Structures are given as structure tokens and as C-alpha cells.
Amino acid sequence: MPQENEPKSKFTNNPGASSGYYQIDPDGEQGVSPFAVYCDMDTLGGGWTLFANHADGIERKLMRDPVKIDQYGVLESARWQALRATMTEGLMFIDEHQRVSMISAHNVTNPTGNGCQSLLDNTAADLTATFDGNPERPFAIWPYSTIYAHTEQDKLLYFIK
């Protein structure tokens, strides 16, 4: 099991860790203070950090500390920015039916289509203002039968690795 305040890189490389809540420090001693997160250590090789729990139709996005798998909310801005600055694999999403989709780190930083909002641009610095619109990005894993998932799901857990 990871020890409190271990850098994220050590945490993601611990094959014996189980899914749960951990204390991490993704940007080291010079960045934000260590904070609690939920980590999925089972899906797509494990090491995924939950940064948002969202559902369609939510009018207000609340900051949570930590973001929980059973409560809607988003990670505080400075903590989210520390996570996204250390992203190596990409983003993973799990819907209410346990279907998994995933975008590679490259495709997160290089969105395609018109009017795309990247989760790495300035508009996503504060996650309470995000999750509106329908950005287009090439997904590495897409479990839905149509190009737009909103017809098949309305709740998502957002992870980063």
C-alpha cells in the first residue's frame, strides 16, 4: 500500500494496491499540499485518479474533497491542475452501466472537430465551469453504439492517469 504523501508516480506503480481512497502528492513538495483522492486500481491496468463525478442535468458543480464515487462533485482547481500537469496515460470514464471509455493523453491535448474544449485548456482550469457542451475527441475505447454517448448514459466518473 502507498504511504501517505508518496509522489503519485510511486503510487501508480504499486501493483499490490487496491481501489480506495489515498493521500497523494502529484506535483511533489513544491506544488499543492498532498490531498485525498479515490483511486481505481482495477480498471485498464489501474492507477486511475477520480477527479469528477458528474451527471447530465446537474445545474451546479460542487467542489468535493475528496471527490467520491457515490457523490457528485469535482476536484478543487489547484488539485485538478496538479493532476492534469502530471498526466501520462489519459482520461478514463465509467458510466452508470459500468461501461468504460478512454482517451489517450495525446488525444486529450490534441482535440479534433469544431468548437472543441480541451480538458487541458484554460476553460477547464476550474472544473465547476466544465462539462457543458459536447467536445469531440478521438477515443481509444468507445463502448457505445452511436457517436454521441448521451443517448446511452447520463452519469460518468472521470479519472486521470
Side-chain angles (χ1 to χ4, degrees):
M1 291 287 236
Q3 297 297 312
E4 225 174 85
N5 301 332
E6 279 193 49
K8 186 178 175 194
S9 59
K10 288 184 183 178
F11 174 71
T12 57
N13 293 327
N14 185 346
S18 59
S19 294
Y21 293 90
Y22 292 94
Q23 196 76 4
I24 65 167
D25 189 1
D27 55 4
E29 292 180 15
Q30 302 305 314
V32 298
S33 298
F35 54 97
V37 294
Y38 178 83
C39 294
D40 179 323
M41 300 303 287
D42 301 310
T43 310
L44 297 181
W48 295 93
T49 303
L50 181 66
F51 67 89
N53 182 341
H54 181 68
D56 292 346
I58 294 178
E59 291 184 25
R60 189 165 171 226
K61 287 81 174 179
L62 297 174
M63 281 189 287
R64 300 283 185 197
D65 184 20
V67 175
K68 298 183 178 183
I69 58 171
D70 60 353
Q71 184 180 50
Y72 299 127
V74 298
L75 198 60
E76 184 269 327
S77 296
R79 293 174 176 175
W80 154 243
Q81 292 169 26
L83 284 175
R84 73 182 188 175
T86 60
M87 178 180 61
T88 57
E89 298 291 322
L91 302 174
M92 175 181 75
F93 311 92
I94 301 176
D95 72 14
E96 70 270 28
H97 308 291
Q98 301 307 303
R99 288 179 292 208
V100 175
S101 53
M102 188 262 192
I103 306 174
S104 71
H106 172 79
N107 288 342
V108 172
T109 57
N110 298 287
T112 61
N114 295 325
C116 293
Q117 173 192 347
S118 171
L119 281 169
L120 297 186
D121 68 17
N122 289 336
T123 63
D126 176 1
L127 289 174
T128 61
T130 308
F131 306 113
D132 296 325
N134 193 4
E136 297 174 20
R137 296 180 190 88
F139 280 73
I141 299 172
W142 187 252
Y144 305 104
S145 62
T146 64
I147 191 169
Y148 298 109
H150 71 275
T151 60
E152 298 179 53
Q153 58 81 14
D154 65 7
K155 297 178 185 178
L156 283 176
L157 298 173
Y158 290 67
F159 293 87
I160 190 167
K161 177 178 175 184

